[in-house]
């Protein structure tokens, strides 16, 4: 309601002929009263209908009639009555003939209708479940602010006596409006019957009041909780349905498929038209159009369709924020005009200070709302794209999986998705900076006239420099990334093959290679950083350069005088202009990167998928399988296959290495592309791959694989698969987590676990790809008898078994012999023997038809009973590979373990071997460790340089204020040239100091990176083998990749930014305090509040970021795990459970990301409001001290305070980021105190010739254990191996630090080995002459473990060595190939001492001596003939293998 006054008359705000100051005209009583009457109703009538439409479509239930609602309605009706009475009084006076201005009737009528609409909105909000209204909050605020201002002016004019009734009604109306405003700051009760059911720990945003939502106070409870105690995942809010992966991925996938279908129809129509117009052109255009239709257009359109509303709402907030951004310079201009004119009353100065404060606050709030909306959009888009990638992983064909490595998929999720989502913040940067630039030049033209055109010239002159620097920097960045990738690949190869490298003593050579690459990487990083420093300096100094040129032209050329308004308003506008010209290229660069990432994502999402119709699973009739003429798109995989397998048949598939056995199983699963033919499978399928795939979960979850737990059946499966002794030895039984990639299990344990998973499935068809290869003789026989064989658990089911164990063939119902991807022959065992064909050739090559399964010896197995003692077991270098005595637990503990649900987050949420979670703030010792790595002199020098450049900045601003206050003689300033010259000199000194300080921080960071990386590399490489077996490779790779990158880039960048902003904050505080000493009274409380916000935020933010990092690592690990096991997942038809697991992991990651996102906005909003308070304090104190201050000093103070608004939050943000980044230093030092190996070289041995001389090995009372707390695995071993002797035994692992050659059983291959570089031609020659089978098999489509073992053997051939160690080197090859390998070894290593581990006893029969180990001791020793004659342990093993 308008304040009481006479109608506007006389000289007023609308009189354009008068030359009144702008401050006087805009702050006139008539203008304020008019605005107070019309602005609130216009606001509500414009937004109200839109708001009604919104809540009508987004209802949340309804609210009960709470006391808050009743109070709002009572006050609303009271306002309606008051407005009605005002209208009635006006009408009565008109009826009485009293002369009344029309406004006294119009104004109350407008307010009456508006108040009625407001009451209607209050009632509608209750019906729709709105607990707090932002629209009505703004309306009541406007109803109070404008009328209150004009009413206060009228009250000061002593007009109460003239019309007391109207004055009293106005004050009563204002009181009721204030009460309504206070009530609008409160939130009502939750809806009575909400449409979305309440979740446990639901987000408090929905029930927060509007001020709490605007300033993010609703997150304060969580921030305070994190400050008081460490935050845990259970403390965080649950994720709303609108942010869940299931909802988001479903919407995006539907939109994408719809757009792809539409694009496909359009492409077909276009192709048809082109074919009609030119038949000759059709063959060329058709593939192009088909490819064009599947590119990024449909996905981009789908993203817009799903997420455009959130983006547009954020953009609207940003536009409104920019309106207030440009209001501030105008208000500053009016304020400096007020300071320079002694006539206006003081209340106008206070009003301008309040308006500047409110404008800055509204800019902050709307900008933070924009950031919040876009950050939420980022979170949702990340969930949706990650879900699409995961679903694509589950559907990739075999050829697509070969084209995309697991690292590529993880990079898509961790890097490309991140870049794509981050680009959302910069989409508006393509057009909004252009608007800023136009508005800024309009402002400058108004202030300086034609002199403003020189600003354009300066900015344009700086562009080539920045483009040149950016181009050169990109070149060095690419070089750094190239060296970084080389280092990462080499480091990964070293860590994954650490055992092989240590056995050969190659650490030194690989260390030199890594450090050489690291030196080139840091050199490129140093050059790139220095160029970036030049670019930053040009950005920071560009405002000064433009101001210098503009001021010089304005004063010296145009011969105009400088004043405070021109000087400091120009600087304020130039700061905005500087942000625009920096934001535009940065946005372009970010979007270009996002385009590259988006193309990579679309390329991946459009890869070929598995054909779901390749295998017909819906056939009826007799259960079985028919396979007719199946071929792969790759050459010569399988062809000319005609096969029918009846129900319940045990089919054995045999053949040499590379014959296509695994390819045939892949074809049966539909993994290979079918060229023609027909495949049909009836019933559920279970699959056991050749290389066991296990999940990073518990044993029971791996076995059940998403099915319901049946304890009795689980026990039978574990017993049959010989897993019960192993499970009993595990710390938590079946609930023990097996770690990343089964790190806590041996190869045989993983293979038996993979088999147990298939058996537990109770499928109709079992595809078994050589499951016995990783098992020793007695365990393999037990598994075959109890599981696969005619009397096993799988009897009655269809079993297709790929095997090299020829001794089990008599028990097979049917045998298929493959050669070169085709069936050579098939039939029963007796039939094939009578034919004397391909099978007979395999048996002849093997010499001994009774050969058994091969592999490593398993813990917890016995030659007599697989459930008994560990006789015959060789020790393993694994923490859990040797049976150790486990203390008996009480009954309660055991029962509690068995009763733990499989989805218990406290038990199953964090995998074994995970990174240790740190809580609280980073210790000061970690900061000191980094500073010591930088160097104390360099640290002090950098601080001194930052101080010098900030002093130069302070002097430059103070000198400009003196220039503005210079007296004018004839409209000009006599010392303009001197003032301009010194102003330019001070700016140049600041630029030099800024570059020097940045360069010092950069060089110190490079020095620290080099030292910390060297220490980390040395600490890890010097660690023993047990360290690598107990530490997940992912943790080590994380230190050498992510943590190292953080130390290289993030810490120096955050440290530089922190020092810049901190010194800038000190300068502003000093300026305000020196200019207006009264402001100290306000500055001290503001800084106390600032310190409080900083303390609360830093602690909570660090914890949230650590939680977020751990949770997102879980998403990437699950993605990589699924990629590696996607064939198994598809074979078991468990895609839906895995998708649900991925959704749960992504939702858990986003549930942790969301509080950190809001905490960032909480800090930014509240700290910027404190900065705005500093502006208000500086302006208010300037009004109080107006008589003693010049306009130049006031401009210096207020303009500096305006720049500090965002500086405050960036100091805290950079400090927090630095704390989060400095954790990487702590993590890089994690391994500094782990046990280390003995020195690699003793000084006393330096002058001696290379060892060994002849290859003789002797053990004297030898014993070892794997960990200090474990019993001795080997004890009391004494024997001697003569030079050139060939010995088979189980002690080769203990002969560490030899210069001999070891061939591993797992087929560890690296791209280049130390000491054999440049021997590619020689290697290929030996492959062709010695390993003919391997060379032929390399052209085959499926690479198997046997081929890798042959490559490792070829590597051993190239080294001249005295000692050769063969650790299961022939475990995964067929008997015929093994004979060729044995012949090669006999001729090539005739003079070498050979130590052999082989569970194919035929492989050890030609050894000079055999050592049989039992319970860690030598049970038998002698030649094979002697041991067979003794009829002891070796004889029993030979019996089981069919050798005797």
């Amino acid at each position: 309601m308008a304040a009481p006054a006479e109608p506007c008359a006389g000289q007023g705000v609308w009189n354009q002929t008068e030359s009144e100051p702008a401050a006087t005209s805009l702050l006139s009583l008539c203008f304020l009263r008019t605005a107070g009457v019309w602005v609130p109703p216009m606001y509500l009538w414009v937004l109200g209908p839109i708001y009604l439409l919104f809540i009508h479509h987004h209802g949340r239930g309804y609210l009960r009639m709470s006391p808050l609602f009743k109070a709002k309605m009572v006050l609303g009706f009271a306002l309606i009555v008051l407005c009605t009475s005002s209208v009635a009084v006006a009408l009565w006076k008109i009826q009485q003939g009293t002369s009344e201005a029309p406004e006294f009737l119009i104004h109350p009528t407008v307010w009456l209708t508006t108040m009625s609409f407001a009451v209607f909105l209050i009632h509608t909000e209750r019906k729709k479940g709105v607990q707090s209204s932002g629209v009505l909050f703004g309306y009541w605020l406007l109803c109070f602010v404008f009328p209150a201002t004009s009413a206060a002016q009228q009250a000061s004019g002593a007009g109460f006596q003239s019309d007391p009734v109207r004055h009293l009604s106005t004050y009563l109306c204002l009181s009721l409006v204030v009460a309504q405003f206070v009530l609008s700051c409160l939130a009502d009760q939750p809806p009575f019957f909400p449409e979305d059911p309440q979740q446990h720990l639901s987000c408090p945003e929905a029930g927060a009041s509007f001020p709490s939502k605007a300033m993010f106070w609703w997150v304060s409870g969580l921030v305070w909780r994190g400050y008081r105690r460490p935050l845990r995942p259970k403390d965080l809010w649950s994720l709303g349905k609108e942010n869940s992966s299931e909802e988001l991925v479903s919407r995006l996938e539907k939109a994408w498929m719809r757009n792809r279908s539409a694009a496909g129809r359009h492409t077909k129509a276009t192709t048809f038209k082109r074919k009609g117009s030119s038949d000759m052109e059709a063959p060329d255009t058709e593939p192009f159009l088909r490819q064009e239709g599947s590119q990024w257009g449909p996905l981009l359109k789908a993203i817009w369709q799903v997420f455009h509303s959130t983006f547009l709402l954020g953009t609207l907030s940003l536009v409104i924020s920019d309106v207030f951004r440009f209001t501030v310079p105008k208000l500053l201009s009016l304020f400096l005009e007020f300071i320079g004119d002694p006539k206006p009353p003081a209340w106008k100065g206070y009003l301008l200070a309040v308006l500047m404060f409110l404008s800055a606050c509204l800019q902050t709030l709307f900008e933070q709302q924009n950031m919040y909306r876009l950050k939420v959009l980022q979170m949702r888009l990340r969930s949706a794209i990650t879900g699409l990638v995961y679903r694509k992983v589950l559907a990739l064909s075999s050829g697509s999986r070969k084209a995309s490595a697991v690292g590529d998929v993880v990079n898509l999720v961790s890097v490309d998705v991140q870049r794509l989502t981050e680009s959302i913040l910069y989409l508006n940067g393509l057009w909004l900076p252009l608007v800023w630039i136009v508005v800024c030049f309009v402002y400058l033209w108004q202030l300086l006239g034609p002199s403003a055109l020189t600003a354009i010239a300066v900015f344009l002159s700086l562009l080539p420099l920045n483009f040149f620097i950016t181009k050169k920097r990109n070149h060095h960045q690419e070089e750094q990334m190239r060296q970084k990738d080389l280092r990462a690949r080499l480091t990964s190869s070293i860590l994954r093959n650490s055992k092989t490298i240590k056995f050969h003593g190659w650490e030194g050579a690989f260390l030199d290679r890594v450090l050489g690459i690291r030196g080139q990487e840091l050199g490129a990083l140093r050059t790139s950083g220095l160029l970036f420093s030049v670019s930053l300096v040009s950005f920071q100094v560009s405002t000064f350069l433009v101001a210098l040129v503009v001021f010089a032209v304005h004063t010296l050329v145009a011969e105009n005088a400088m004043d405070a308004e021109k000087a400091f308003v120009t600087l304020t506008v130039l700061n905005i202009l500087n942000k625009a010209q920096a934001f535009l290229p940065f946005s372009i660069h970010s979007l270009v990167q996002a385009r590259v990432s988006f193309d990579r994502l679309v390329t991946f999402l459009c890869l070929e998928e598995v054909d779901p119709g390749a295998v017909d699973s819906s056939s009826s009739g007799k259960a079985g399988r028919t396979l007719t003429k199946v071929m792969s798109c790759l050459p010569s995989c399988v062809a000319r296959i005609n096969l029918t397998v009846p129900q319940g048949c045990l089919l054995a598939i045999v053949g040499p290495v590379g014959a296509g056995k695994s390819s045939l199983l892949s074809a049966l699963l539909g993994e290979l592309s079918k060229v023609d033919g027909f495949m049909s499978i009836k019933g559920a399928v279970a699959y056991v791959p050749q290389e066991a795939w296990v999940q990073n979960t518990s044993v029971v979850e791996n076995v059940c694989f998403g099915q319901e737990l049946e304890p009795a059946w689980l026990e039978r499966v574990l017993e049959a698969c010989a897993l019960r002794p192993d499970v009993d030895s595990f710390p938590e039984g079946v609930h023990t987590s097996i770690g990343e990639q089964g790190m806590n299990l041996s190869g045989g344990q993983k293979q038996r676990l993979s088999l147990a998973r298939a058996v537990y499935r109770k499928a109709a068809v079992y595809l078994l790809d050589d499951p016995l290869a990783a098992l020793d003789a007695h365990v393999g026989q037990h598994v075959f008898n109890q599981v696969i064989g005619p009397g096993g658990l799988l009897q009655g089911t269809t079993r297709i078994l790929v095997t090299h164990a020829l001794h089990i063939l008599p028990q097979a119902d049917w045998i298929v012999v493959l050669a070169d991807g085709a069936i050579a022959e098939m039939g029963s065992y007796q039939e094939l023997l009578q034919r004397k064909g391909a099978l007979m050739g395999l048996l002849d090559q093997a010499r001994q038809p009774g050969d058994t399964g091969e592999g490593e010896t398993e813990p917890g197995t016995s030659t007599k009973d697989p459930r008994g003692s560990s006789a015959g077991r060789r020790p393993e270098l694994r923490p859990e590979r040797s049976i150790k005595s486990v203390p008996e637990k009480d009954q309660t503990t055991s029962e509690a373990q068995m009763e733990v649900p499989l989805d218990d987050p406290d038990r199953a949420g964090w995998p074994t071997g995970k990174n240790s979670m740190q809580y609280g703030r980073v210790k000061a010792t970690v900061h000191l460790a980094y500073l010591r790595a930088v160097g104390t002199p360099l640290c002090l020098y950098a601080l001194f340089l930052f101080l010098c450049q900030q002093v130069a900045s302070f002097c430059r601003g103070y000198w400009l204020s003196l220039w503005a206050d210079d007296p004018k003689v004839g409209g000009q300033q006599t010392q303009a040239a001197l003032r301009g010259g010194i102003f330019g000199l001070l700016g140049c000194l600041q630029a030099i100091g800024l570059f020097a300080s940045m360069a010092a921080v950069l060089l110190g960071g490079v020095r620290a990176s080099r030292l910390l990386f060297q220490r980390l590399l040395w600490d890890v490489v010097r660690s023993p083998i047990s360290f690598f077996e107990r530490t997940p490779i992912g943790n080590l790779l994380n230190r050498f990749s992510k943590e190292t990158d953080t130390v290289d880039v993030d810490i120096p960048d955050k440290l530089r930014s922190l020092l810049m902003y901190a010194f800038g904050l000190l300068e502003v505080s000093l300026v305000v305090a020196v200019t207006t000493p009264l402001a100290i009274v306000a500055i001290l409380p503001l800084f106390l509040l600032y310190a409080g916000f900083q303390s609360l935020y830093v602690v909570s933010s660090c914890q949230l970021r650590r939680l977020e990092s751990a949770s997102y690592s879980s998403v990437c690990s699950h993605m990589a795990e699924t990629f590696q096991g996607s064939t198994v997942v598809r074979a078991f038809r468990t895609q839906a459970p895995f998708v649900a697991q991925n959704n749960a992991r992504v939702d858990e990651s986003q549930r942790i990301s969301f509080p950190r996102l809001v905490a960032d906005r909480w800090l930014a909003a509240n700290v910027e409001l404190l900065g705005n308070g500093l502006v208000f304090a500086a302006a208010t104190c300037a009004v109080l001290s107006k008589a003693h201050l010049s306009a130049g000093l006031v401009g210096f103070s207020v303009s500096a305070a305006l720049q500090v608004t965002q500086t405050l939050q960036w100091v805290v943000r950079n400090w927090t980021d630095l704390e989060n980044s400095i954790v990487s230093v702590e993590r890089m030092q994690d391994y500094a105190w782990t046990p280390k190996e003995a020195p690699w070289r003793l000084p006393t041995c330096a002058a001696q010739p290379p060892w060994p001389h002849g290859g003789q090995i002797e053990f004297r009372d030898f014993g070892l254990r794997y960990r200090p707390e474990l019993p001795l695995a080997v004890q009391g071993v004494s024997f001697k191996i003569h030079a050139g002797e060939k010995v088979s035994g189980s002690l080769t692992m203990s002969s560490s630090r030899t210069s001999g050659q070891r061939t591993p059983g797992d087929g560890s291959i690296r791209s280049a080995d130390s000491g054999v570089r440049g021997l590619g031609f020689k290697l290929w020659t030996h492959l062709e002459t010695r390993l003919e089978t391997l060379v032929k098999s390399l052209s085959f489509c499926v690479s198997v473990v046997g081929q890798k073992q042959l490559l490792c053997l070829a590597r051993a051939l190239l080294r001249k060595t005295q000692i050769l160690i063969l650790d299961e080197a022939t475990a995964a090859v067929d008997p015929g190939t093994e004979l060729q390998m044995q012949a090669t070894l006999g001729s090539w290593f005739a003079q070498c001492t050979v130590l052999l581990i082989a569970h194919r006893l035929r492989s050890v029969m030609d050894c000079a001596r055999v050592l049989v180990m039992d319970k860690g001791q030598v049970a038998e020793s002698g030649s094979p003939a002697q041991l067979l004659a003794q009829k002891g342990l070796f004889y029993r093993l030979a019996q089981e293998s069919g050798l005797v």
Side-chain angles (χ1 to χ4, degrees), residues 4 68 98 123 194 207 237 292 301 457 539 645 795 980 1102 1141 1355 1367 1392:
L68 179 61
T98 306
H123 176 72
W237 314 306
E292 184 70 21
K301 185 179 178 181
F539 167 71
V645 184
Q795 61 178 335
C1102 287
Q1141 289 182 30
R1355 178 179 59 197
D1367 182 10
C1392 297

Side-chain angles (χ1 to χ4, degrees), residues 686-699:
Y687 172 59
V688 179
Q690 184 179 20
E691 295 185 63
W693 174 76
V694 292
Q695 293 181 272
N696 187 6
T697 56
S698 64
V699 173

Side-chain angles (χ1 to χ4, degrees), residues 639-643 664 815-826:
R640 305 183 306 280
I641 303 294
N642 292 275
L643 179 66
L664 180 58
I815 300 171
V816 172
V817 182
L818 288 183
D820 298 329
I823 297 179
E825 62 177 358
M826 61 181 175

Side-chain angles (χ1 to χ4, degrees), residues 300 303 311 374-375 377-378 381-382 415-430 583 586-598:
L300 188 62
I303 292 174
F311 177 76
L374 296 187
K375 287 289 186 179
L377 176 56
Q378 282 184 332
L381 183 59
R382 185 182 301 117
V415 177
D416 293 306
V417 173
Q418 185 71 18
R419 283 182 178 176
L420 178 62
T421 55
E422 284 181 352
S423 67
I424 293 175
L425 293 175
Y426 305 106
L427 283 176
N428 288 316
L430 293 178
F583 191 41
F586 191 78
S587 299
I588 294 173
H589 176 69
S590 175
L591 291 173
V592 168
Q593 285 188 326
R595 170 63 188 271
V596 174
S597 295
F598 192 71

Side-chain angles (χ1 to χ4, degrees), residues 1114-1351:
S1114 173
V1115 174
C1116 294
S1117 299
H1118 187 245
M1119 183 79 69
E1121 187 178 80
T1122 304
F1123 182 86
Q1124 294 169 334
S1126 58
T1127 303
V1128 176
V1129 175
R1130 286 195 294 268
F1132 281 76
R1133 299 292 189 268
T1134 54
Q1135 291 97 322
F1138 270 78
V1139 167
Q1141 289 182 30
N1142 178 71
N1143 288 344
R1145 290 173 184 263
V1146 173
D1147 286 348
E1148 180 65 17
S1149 175
Q1150 303 295 47
R1151 189 173 74 89
I1152 297 172
S1153 298
F1154 182 69
R1156 189 182 69 82
L1157 175 157
V1158 184
D1160 288 346
R1161 306 278 64 79
W1162 173 84
L1163 172 77
N1166 289 279
V1167 170
E1168 285 193 17
L1169 290 178
L1170 289 180
N1172 297 332
L1174 183 61
V1175 175
F1176 179 70
T1180 304
C1181 293
V1183 175
L1184 290 173
S1185 307
K1186 178 182 178 182
H1188 311 292
L1189 291 177
S1190 65
L1193 285 177
V1194 173
F1196 183 31
S1197 173
V1198 177
S1199 64
L1202 285 172
Q1203 302 308 315
V1204 83
T1205 302
Q1206 293 188 344
T1207 301
L1208 285 169
Q1209 68 143 323
W1210 282 112
V1211 170
V1212 182
R1213 293 281 290 277
N1214 279 286
W1215 175 255
T1216 307
D1217 291 342
L1218 184 61
E1219 279 218 14
N1220 289 322
S1221 300
I1222 212 74
V1223 173
S1224 297
V1225 177
E1226 184 179 30
R1227 291 163 66 84
M1228 290 180 72
Q1229 295 178 329
D1230 282 346
Y1231 306 128
W1233 296 275
T1234 56
K1236 298 295 184 293
E1237 291 179 322
W1240 294 339
R1241 295 181 183 272
L1242 296 176
T1244 56
C1245 300
Q1248 298 183 6
W1251 177 89
H1253 304 293
Q1256 178 175 306
I1257 304 173
E1258 183 175 0
F1259 290 87
R1260 298 177 183 174
D1261 197 22
F1262 178 77
L1264 63 82
R1265 57 167 54 92
Y1266 297 114
R1267 292 203 301 267
E1269 68 273 13
L1270 296 181
L1272 286 172
V1274 176
Q1275 55 183 333
V1277 174
S1278 299
F1279 65 90
K1280 185 176 182 180
I1281 301 174
H1282 300 286
E1285 190 175 11
K1286 186 177 182 181
V1287 176
S1288 174
S1290 302
L1291 283 177
T1292 59
M1293 295 296 184
S1294 62
S1295 52
S1296 61
R1297 311 311 309 174
T1298 72
S1299 64
Q1301 173 71 26
R1302 175 181 177 272
T1303 301
D1306 57 357
S1308 302
I1309 299 175
R1310 293 181 310 282
S1311 58
D1313 282 327
S1314 177
V1316 293
R1317 300 179 207 165
L1319 297 179
F1321 177 76
K1322 187 178 179 182
L1323 173 62
W1324 189 253
T1325 303
H1326 283 298
L1327 287 177
E1328 289 184 322
T1329 57
R1330 301 285 179 178
L1331 300 171
E1332 221 175 294
T1333 303
L1334 171 64
V1335 177
K1336 293 180 180 179
S1337 67
L1338 285 178
S1339 62
F1340 236 76
C1341 57
V1342 179
S1343 178
V1344 294
V1345 177
Q1347 294 171 340
K1348 297 179 183 178
Q1349 288 184 333
L1350 293 177
L1351 279 176

